[in-house]
Amino acid sequence: MASWAALSPSIVEYFEGEDFYRCGYCKNESGSLSNGMWAHSLTAQDYQDLIDRGWRRSGKYVYKPVMNQTCCPQYTIRCRPLQFQPSKSHKKVLKKMLKFLAKGEISKGSCEDEPMDSTAEDTVAGDFALINKLDIRCDLKTLRDDLQESLESEEKKGKNAKKEESTELTESQRAEEKLGSGEPSPSVKVQTAPKPGKGADLTKPPCRKAKEIRKERKRLKLMQRSSAEEPQGLRAQGEPPSLIPPKAKSNVPKSLEDFIFEPLPEDASHKLEFTRFLCSSPLEAENPPDGPECGYGSFHQQYWLDGRIIAVGVIDILPHCVSSVYLYYDPDYSFLSLGVYSALREIAFTKQLHEKTSQLSYYYMGFYIHSCPKMKYKGQYRPSDLLCPETYVWVPIEQCLPSLENSKYCRFNQDPEAGDEGRSQDPDRLQVFYRKAVLPYGVYRRQRPDPREEAAVLQYASLVGQRCSERMLLFRS
């Protein structure tokens, strides 16, 4: 027997059997099914390994849904903060907070449960490759003036234009058209001489579609910007001015940190402050030399607005992730979408911890429940992964969603030969805490042979995996 002081302090009490109970998602009175255990204490590494096998804690109760039988399968979801970019909806929440803090403005029609926008903001960029290749020798100001005059004239005549017989341009005319528009025009036609009293006046510029006019106007603006921004002193004599505007800093999407840490004016209407401190939980506080400065454990993150606490987020800081436990907030401030805002701040906090502790690089958001519309919003924090409930490997959520549309329960790992590599392979090495003594289960079983108890212990070992079963102490009375 080994002494208690030399072992991990994790002590758990497994609840035998499986019970159906009321589901908090679909409200089925007896549809939810899970396994559970009471954690008297847990190390950060043990809990990290448990949540990587589909477990989740609520206070000191740690549970794992029976995925293929429960009414609403709950898949562990994690976000990858190092590649995270806020969506249009996320930016809306961040800007709303900034406006409220800076000017006291309150956006109308917003609420905490507003749907997330899963689509990243569209980026519209013109293709100026052809212009870059052409050997243009002209004065930029003259070209601008000619284009402006042409656009104004064409716009006046565009509404009264009529379709007439036409012939294709010659090769030289096509080249001229490409030069003027900046892009290929494979099917451009030119007006022929109309009959007397009919058709367009050829002495005036030909009428063009409104879409083409808008393209020309946009191209003109880009050239004007290029002319204003290009440093004249650096241009070689005789070299034509570039028609492609240089990349400006304003074109680079703002990062999450740009929004969160944007400085407020000195006369800001409100002041938002944050405090973080350890809180009571089964997780043992740890401060390893290679860990983050705050250490591992459970923390409260308090949100103070003008000296008044308006929200508290509970997070677990573990060796490889920040795990969000829950958030509670003052409903008077629900217009600030504090649930979304706190999640974005926690993602940014995870990136900060990663700078000191490189292996800490994920943000765990609890469970993703595809069959519950109110819980699908977690899938909007991209990129993110779902945990395969059979092999316990992480799979990008984009690969999982098609399967979830067809079935509530899915195995995400597409390799039919893959299995649970962390499964319990030697239950006799499982550690038991019995009568203040620690001993391997193989020894304990010989002292207390009980087939019913053995079935429960083997079930526990299969759920927590080999590593946790050898480190954690299974309490037996």
Side-chain angles (χ1 to χ4, degrees):
M1 298 183 186
S3 66
W4 153 246
L7 293 178
S8 164
S10 293
I11 302 177
V12 297
E13 189 172 356
Y14 182 67
F15 298 132
E16 302 174 13
E18 301 168 347
D19 293 320
F20 284 94
Y21 53 91
R22 186 176 186 273
C23 177
Y25 304 107
C26 69
K27 311 305 179 185
N28 187 325
E29 291 298 328
S30 58
S32 186
L33 181 64
S34 66
N35 300 104
M37 57 187 177
W38 189 261
H40 296 275
S41 63
L42 275 176
T43 65
Q45 185 60 61
D46 286 341
Y47 187 51
Q48 176 74 68
D49 289 345
L50 286 174
I51 61 176
D52 283 338
R53 291 185 64 83
W55 291 83
R56 185 77 178 162
R57 81 173 184 88
S58 176
K60 291 193 172 185
Y61 182 69
V62 189
Y63 62 100
K64 185 180 190 301
V66 182
M67 298 291 284
N68 59 351
Q69 298 182 48
T70 191
C71 57
C72 296
Q74 303 162 54
Y75 299 92
T76 303
I77 183 172
R78 72 178 186 184
C79 173
R80 286 175 259 156
L82 304 186
Q83 293 83 38
F84 176 80
Q85 284 292 335
S87 69
K88 184 176 180 180
S89 178
H90 296 152
K91 291 178 181 179
K92 181 179 178 181
V93 172
L94 294 169
K95 291 176 181 178
K96 178 169 56 178
M97 176 65 79
L98 287 172
K99 288 182 179 180
F100 174 72
L101 295 177
K103 302 178 181 179
E105 295 182 4
I106 299 177
S107 301
K108 296 181 180 180
S110 59
C111 63
E112 181 62 29
D113 293 328
E114 61 185 347
M116 297 292 158
D117 183 2
S118 62
T119 307
E121 289 185 292
D122 294 332
T123 303
V124 181
D127 181 11
F128 299 100
L130 180 62
I131 295 180
N132 218 16
K133 293 178 182 178
L134 293 175
D135 186 16
I136 303 174
R137 291 290 182 271
C138 64
D139 180 72
L140 185 60
K141 183 177 184 304
T142 302
L143 180 59
R144 278 205 311 269
D145 294 341
D146 290 345
L147 282 172
Q148 184 66 41
E149 182 180 351
S150 175
L151 289 173
E152 291 175 355
S153 177
E154 289 170 356
E155 190 170 10
K156 291 179 181 178
K157 297 295 181 179
K159 295 181 180 180
N160 300 320
K162 295 180 180 180
K163 294 183 178 180
E164 300 291 339
E165 295 178 1
S166 60
T167 59
E168 295 186 357
L169 291 172
T170 62
E171 293 299 322
S172 61
Q173 287 174 320
R174 286 198 186 104
E176 184 178 352
E177 176 68 15
K178 291 180 181 179
L179 178 60
S181 67
E183 58 184 20
S185 188
S187 59
V188 179
K189 308 235 178 178
V190 67
Q191 299 284 349
T192 58
K195 297 179 180 180
K198 295 183 180 180
D201 188 349
L202 292 181
T203 63
K204 297 182 180 181
C207 297
R208 300 170 67 186
K209 294 182 179 180
K211 183 176 180 181
E212 294 179 354
I213 296 175
R214 288 195 298 270
K215 285 184 177 181
E216 292 287 3
R217 187 178 290 115
K218 180 179 179 181
R219 191 170 294 110
L220 175 62
K221 290 181 180 179
L222 290 173
M223 288 190 294
Q224 290 174 334
R225 189 187 310 167
S226 174
S227 177
E229 294 178 355
E230 187 170 2
Q232 300 294 326
L234 298 180
R235 189 185 304 158
Q237 186 175 5
E239 181 180 348
S242 173
L243 297 184
I244 305 177
K247 289 186 177 180
K249 290 185 177 180
S250 59
N251 294 333
V252 178
K254 292 180 70 173
S255 69
L256 178 60
E257 291 81 1
D258 292 335
F259 284 102
I260 289 181
F261 302 116
E262 181 173 323
L264 294 173
E266 294 183 0
D267 60 344
S269 299
H270 300 284
K271 183 178 182 181
L272 186 64
E273 298 176 292
F274 305 87
T275 58
R276 185 182 306 109
F277 58 90
L278 279 167
C279 62
S280 177
S281 87
L283 285 180
E284 298 290 335
E286 304 173 30
N287 287 279
D290 59 343
E293 292 183 5
C294 59
Y296 299 134
S298 298
F299 295 82
H300 277 170
Q301 293 204 120
Q302 296 184 343
Y303 295 70
W304 293 82
L305 181 66
D306 302 331
R308 175 184 178 182
I309 190 167
I310 63 170
V312 177
V314 180
I315 60 173
D316 293 333
I317 300 180
L318 305 173
H320 299 290
C321 73
V322 170
S323 175
S324 178
V325 182
Y326 56 82
L327 172 88
Y328 51 93
Y329 60 91
D330 187 337
D332 290 344
Y333 294 91
S334 60
F335 64 88
L336 290 174
S337 301
L338 292 173
V340 177
Y341 182 76
S342 65
L344 295 172
R345 285 203 69 99
E346 289 170 4
I347 290 174
F349 177 54
T350 304
K351 295 176 70 174
Q352 288 181 319
L353 296 179
H354 172 77
E355 294 177 1
K356 170 65 168 59
T357 309
S358 60
Q359 72 271 18
L360 202 164
S361 55
Y362 296 102
Y363 175 64
Y364 283 45
M365 297 178 283
F367 288 134
Y368 173 80
I369 307 174
H370 191 75
S371 57
C372 179
K374 288 187 177 181
M375 297 300 290
K376 292 172 68 174
Y377 75 92
K378 295 182 180 181
Q380 309 301 332
Y381 295 81
R382 304 284 182 93
S384 57
D385 310 299
L386 297 183
L387 187 68
C388 177
E390 296 183 10
T391 62
Y392 303 111
V393 297
W394 295 98
V395 180
I397 192 171
E398 295 85 356
Q399 299 178 23
C400 305
L401 294 180
S403 299
L404 289 172
E405 288 294 331
N406 298 321
S407 175
K408 288 183 178 181
Y409 174 75
C410 299
R411 170 193 167 107
F412 300 137
N413 192 330
Q414 298 300 311
D415 182 2
E417 303 298 325
D420 175 13
E421 295 184 357
R423 66 187 182 280
S424 175
Q425 301 183 28
D426 188 358
D428 284 348
R429 296 172 60 182
L430 180 150
Q431 298 296 301
V432 175
F433 188 44
Y434 176 64
R435 291 184 178 179
K436 299 182 180 180
V438 177
L439 62 159
Y441 177 66
V443 176
Y444 172 83
R445 183 178 55 182
R446 288 193 293 270
Q447 293 180 1
R448 294 192 58 185
D450 183 344
R452 179 181 173 183
E453 182 180 38
E454 181 176 0
V457 172
L458 293 178
Q459 184 185 57
Y460 158 82
S462 67
L463 294 173
V464 302
Q466 186 67 36
R467 287 189 297 182
C468 281
S469 70
E470 291 185 27
R471 291 197 308 255
M472 299 193 305
L473 305 182
L474 177 62
F475 177 81
R476 309 307 291 171
S477 59

